Amino acid sequence: MTWSERLAELGLELPGVAAPLAAYVPAVRSGSHVYTSGQLPFVDGVLAATGKVGAEVSPEEAKGYARTSALNALAAVHALVGIDSVTRIVKVVGFVASADGFTGQPAVVNGASELFGEVFGDAGVHARSAVGVAELPIGSPVEVELIVEVQ
């Protein structure tokens, strides 16, 4: 089964690639790896939420936004090389705009990690960082970036 078929089986569609907010591109290939820029939880071109996790945004909501950001990152990969050329997810970096005292960043970024497991199975097992930050672009609660290996 191809990754495209697996996405369809899960009832998932890759969205259109979000337009960059500054001077960068959504993804770049170097050799057998694709590096994505940080992806925010845009849905139909609109940021799904703003605010800090642990204050305006609940950890459960933020986990969903991390999943949305991960789908946006996959869309950037797909637009560059095609999703079916992915051989494995190598690394995920998740940034969480965190209220003072919030320490649940790993659980929030699980929204992205779990998606990759659902879609890619063993090829979705990856190294990861989950980082709490004071602010993210345009007030986003989460941001996700990827490194993937491709054929």
Side-chain angles (χ1 to χ4, degrees):
M1 176 181 298
T2 67
W3 304 134
S4 296
E5 292 168 342
R6 179 65 181 147
L7 283 166
E9 182 179 85
L10 293 168
L12 297 172
E13 284 187 41
L14 293 177
V17 180
L21 299 174
Y24 61 89
V25 294
V28 173
R29 181 176 184 164
S30 180
S32 63
H33 291 93
V34 171
Y35 300 79
T36 71
S37 296
Q39 299 294 312
L40 304 179
F42 282 110
V43 177
D44 297 326
V46 177
L47 189 63
T50 59
K52 293 189 180 182
V53 181
E56 300 87 3
V57 178
S58 75
E60 296 78 22
E61 291 170 320
K63 183 178 180 183
Y65 298 139
R67 181 180 177 92
T68 300
S69 297
L71 272 173
N72 289 339
L74 287 179
V77 171
H78 179 64
L80 185 66
V81 298
I83 195 72
D84 293 326
S85 70
V86 172
T87 57
R88 78 166 299 132
I89 304 297
V90 176
K91 176 128 190 213
V92 175
V93 180
F95 300 96
V96 180
S98 301
D100 286 345
F102 180 74
T103 61
Q105 293 84 5
V108 168
V109 180
N110 278 348
S113 295
E114 291 168 4
L115 172 75
F116 299 134
E118 291 170 27
V119 174
F120 298 101
D122 289 343
V125 176
H126 54 270
R128 187 181 91 175
S129 299
V131 182
V133 297
E135 299 288 341
L136 285 170
I138 63 175
S140 180
V142 297
E143 181 173 350
V144 173
E145 63 181 51
L146 297 179
I147 301 171
V148 300
E149 185 177 22
V150 295
Q151 299 175 6

